[in-house]
């Protein structure tokens, strides 16, 4: 991580290796898809059962390496930051608010890559006290269950993600270092009991919309603006997470085009957009399929999910334009698969998403197909159908590769630009 022209830049990587072993590549991919399905179910649960903002003052910039989490057994993206002077690797998640890490003494923890954070060894750590304004406001603003511990002194928390994953522990204040930008008194979760779909990461970085998120807590420093560029491959590639809104930091090759964020419940961490169209090649799908185009854009979901009628129209047009290539068996939720072995060149139709305001976003060629088998004998369209028409669509990270995605939370807008995502 580094600072550049006032920006804090974090390297972004894919999050897979010694923490889980699989007998076959198919088992590994099935595990990834199952985990993604669990996350989507969790998101829909939270949307159905669903922050206050701070004032912008003297914003600066921060740029942090963002990399794939493949080596930690997840298709999500990870960043490394310093917490109390100790480096921790966390999943960057726009669908969550609480930033948390596993802490000693850990009563029930999963295996992680970095040493488990020890608050007793940190001179800057302080527990959030029971019945303090912070403890009370956390529950009101986020819906996270917070309560007094047995000793009636510390503010305990318990957070379930609805897919079987959970973290529980105590809330604390700590100093965090974001590529040289020091934030004192950052509220985070010190997880003493944690299980779920976190691979070998130390925890999670909450980039959502509400009071507790890293974006809201650093409003003074970064003005409520952040962006990322997700690298296209699982291994040996990095992108960046930029905290702050200075566009001179970006490496985009097209101008940033902004669409409106749709405001939902203030307790919801999610970022909603209005998807108004999709085109395959030069063919625009029937506009009548987009009567319910409200979607969530999410860094933590892998495969994009669309309403059934919308997906069926997309699938039919893609099959029509890709008909010269032989079909392959479906794989889990991925029902449009091909056998591309023996083909030196493959002509892939351009896929384009259109958002409110006429903002057109070309899906990078790396985000069109999911390779179930490395020999290309089973290559599947990396989108899937939701079960019901009234479920909220989700734009996953697979379709966000090689894009600069800019979240302007105070301006209630989200921007897209093409960018080759590399850590330079």
């Amino acid at each position: 991580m580094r600072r550049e022209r006032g920006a804090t830049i974090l390297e972004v990587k894919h999050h897979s290796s010694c923490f889980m072993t699989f007998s076959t590549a198919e088992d590994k991919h099935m595990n990834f898809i199952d985990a993604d399905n669990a996350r989507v179910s969790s998101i829909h649960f939270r949307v159905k059962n669903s922050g206050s903002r701070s004032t912008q003052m003297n914003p600066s910039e921060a740029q942090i390496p963002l990399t794939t989490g493949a080596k930690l057994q997840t298709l999500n993206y990870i960043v490394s930051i310093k917490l109390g002077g100790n480096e921790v690797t966390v999943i960057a998640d726009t669908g969550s608010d609480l930033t948390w890490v596993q802490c000693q003494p850990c009563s029930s923890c999963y295996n992680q890559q970095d040493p488990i954070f020890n608050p007793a060894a940190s001179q800057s750590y302080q527990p959030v006290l029971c019945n303090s304004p912070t403890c009370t406001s956390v529950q009101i603003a986020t819906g996270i269950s917070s309560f007094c511990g047995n000793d009636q002194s510390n503010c305990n928390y318990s957070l379930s993600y609805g897919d079987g994953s959970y973290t529980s522990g105590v809330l604390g204040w700590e100093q965090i270092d974001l590529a040289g930008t020091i934030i004192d008194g950052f509220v985070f979760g010190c997880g003493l009991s944690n299980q779920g779909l976190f691979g070998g990461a130390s925890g999670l970085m909450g980039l959502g919309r509400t009071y507790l998120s890293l974006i809201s807590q650093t409003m003074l420093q970064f003005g409520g603006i952040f962006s990322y560029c997700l690298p296209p491959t699982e291994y040996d590639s990095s992108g960046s997470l930029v905290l702050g809104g200075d566009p001179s930091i970006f490496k985009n090759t097209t101008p940033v085009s902004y669409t409106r964020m749709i405001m939902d419940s203030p307790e919801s961490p999610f970022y909603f957009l209005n998807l108004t169209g999709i085109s395959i090649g030069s063919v625009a799908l029937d506009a009548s399929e987009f009567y319910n185009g409200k979607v969530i854009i999410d860094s933590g979901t892998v495969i994009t999910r669309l309403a059934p009628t919308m997906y069926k129209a997309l699938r039919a047009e893609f099959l029509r334009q890709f008909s010269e290539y032989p079909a392959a068996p479906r794989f889990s939720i991925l029902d449009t698969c091909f056998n591309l072995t023996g083909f030196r060149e493959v002509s892939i139709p351009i896929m384009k998403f259109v958002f409110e305001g006429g903002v057109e976003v070309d899906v990078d060629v790396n985000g069109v197909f999911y390779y179930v088998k490395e020999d290309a004998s089973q290559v599947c369209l990396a989108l899937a159908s939701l079960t019901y028409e009234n479920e909220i669509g989700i734009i996953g990270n697979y379709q966000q590769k090689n894009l600069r995605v800019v979240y302007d939370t105070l301006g209630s807008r989200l921007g897209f630009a093409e960018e080759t995502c590399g850590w330079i």
Side-chain angles (χ1 to χ4, degrees):
M1 59 183 176
R2 69 179 189 270
R3 288 182 59 81
E4 178 182 321
R5 295 196 297 276
T8 293
I9 307 171
L10 302 184
E11 184 180 9
V12 177
K13 291 184 178 180
H14 244 282
H15 170 83
S16 154
S17 73
C18 59
F19 298 96
M20 296 179 68
T21 57
F22 302 98
S23 57
T24 66
E26 183 172 302
D27 288 343
K28 179 184 75 172
H29 291 298
M30 187 62 75
N31 177 78
F32 287 155
I33 296 295
D34 287 346
D36 204 43
N37 280 337
R39 178 180 177 88
V40 170
S41 297
S42 171
I43 288 175
H44 285 144
F45 175 83
R46 290 157 68 194
V47 168
K48 288 179 182 178
N49 293 276
S50 351
S52 60
R53 302 282 174 82
S54 300
T55 302
Q56 179 176 356
M57 295 177 62
N58 303 321
S60 61
E61 309 292 329
Q63 186 175 178
I64 308 172
L66 179 73
T67 56
T68 73
K71 292 182 179 180
L72 300 183
Q73 293 294 9
T74 174
L75 290 182
N76 289 320
Y77 292 84
I78 56 173
V79 298
S80 292
I81 62 174
K82 287 185 178 180
L83 181 71
N86 299 279
E87 185 166 295
V88 294
T89 302
V90 288
I91 299 171
D93 186 9
T94 60
S96 298
D97 290 306
L98 178 68
T99 296
W100 61 268
V101 298
Q102 299 197 113
C103 286
Q104 297 181 20
C106 207
S107 62
S108 175
C109 284
Y110 58 84
N111 292 330
Q112 67 174 57
Q113 175 179 260
D114 301 321
I116 294 178
F117 180 72
N118 183 5
S122 171
Q123 295 182 348
S124 51
Y125 173 83
Q126 289 185 339
V128 173
L129 298 181
C130 173
N131 293 326
S132 67
T134 298
C135 187
T136 304
S137 61
V138 163
Q139 185 167 10
I140 294 174
T142 66
I144 293 174
S145 176
S146 59
F147 50 91
C148 297
N150 293 331
D151 58 5
Q152 294 294 302
S153 61
N154 293 341
C155 179
N156 290 8
Y157 78 90
S158 180
L159 175 60
S160 172
Y161 292 92
D163 57 8
S165 301
Y166 65 86
T167 175
S168 64
V170 296
L171 292 180
W173 282 292
E174 183 56 282
Q175 181 187 87
I176 61 170
D177 182 343
L178 302 170
T181 299
I182 307 298
I183 313 294
D184 291 312
F186 181 81
V187 179
F188 80 108
C190 211
L192 304 177
S193 179
N194 323 281
Q195 293 297 330
L197 309 172
F198 309 115
S202 305
L204 185 145
M205 174 190 283
L207 298 173
R209 294 194 303 114
T210 72
Y211 159 84
L212 197 60
S213 77
L214 183 139
I215 305 307
S216 293
Q217 290 196 59
T218 60
M219 191 72 68
L220 181 69
Q221 290 79 17
F222 306 123
I225 300 175
F226 72 99
S227 68
Y228 53 69
C229 192
L230 304 181
T233 58
E234 292 185 18
Y235 300 97
D236 301 323
S237 66
S238 300
S240 63
L241 170 65
V242 176
L243 302 173
D246 185 354
S248 68
I249 299 300
F250 307 156
K251 311 292 184 183
N252 52 301
T253 56
T254 62
V256 180
S257 297
Y258 287 92
T259 186
R260 177 177 67 98
M261 286 184 188
I262 300 174
M263 291 297 100
D264 200 74
S265 165
E267 290 78 29
S268 171
F270 304 114
Y271 296 95
F272 292 89
L273 307 175
N274 190 12
L275 180 67
T276 59
I278 298 177
S279 63
I280 306 296
S282 60
V283 178
L285 302 185
D286 185 349
S288 65
E289 308 297 347
F290 296 86
Y291 68 93
N292 182 20
K294 181 179 177 181
V295 296
I296 293 169
I297 183 166
D298 183 34
S299 68
T301 298
V302 180
I303 302 297
T304 289
R305 307 304 207 281
L306 300 174
T309 53
M310 194 182 301
Y311 175 75
K312 288 176 184 177
L314 180 149
R315 179 180 185 273
E317 183 57 35
F318 193 93
L319 284 171
R320 188 185 71 79
Q321 296 187 31
F322 210 65
S323 60
E324 64 182 285
Y325 301 99
R330 68 176 294 157
F331 183 77
S332 184
I333 60 171
L334 306 178
D335 62 4
T336 308
C337 303
F338 305 91
N339 183 348
L340 302 182
T341 55
F343 291 92
R344 289 189 174 183
E345 294 184 358
V346 176
S347 179
I348 302 175
I350 294 174
M351 183 181 302
K352 182 177 305 206
F353 293 147
V354 184
F355 296 96
E356 181 180 318
V359 174
E360 298 183 350
V361 179
D362 287 353
V363 176
D364 187 78
V365 66
N366 293 286
V368 175
F369 285 133
Y370 187 98
Y371 280 71
V372 178
K373 296 184 177 178
E374 293 184 2
D375 63 1
S377 62
Q378 192 176 19
V379 177
C380 302
L381 192 63
L383 299 96
S385 175
L386 294 167
T387 303
Y388 305 106
E389 292 292 339
N390 61 353
E391 290 180 309
I392 299 292
I394 303 173
I395 305 298
N397 63 42
Y398 216 79
Q399 282 69 45
Q400 297 179 52
K401 298 177 180 180
N402 279 338
L403 290 173
R404 174 60 58 182
V405 184
V406 184
Y407 293 71
D408 181 356
T409 63
L410 288 182
S412 296
R413 60 180 188 163
L414 190 138
F416 296 95
E418 293 182 12
E419 179 175 333
T420 300
C421 299
W423 177 246
I424 300 174

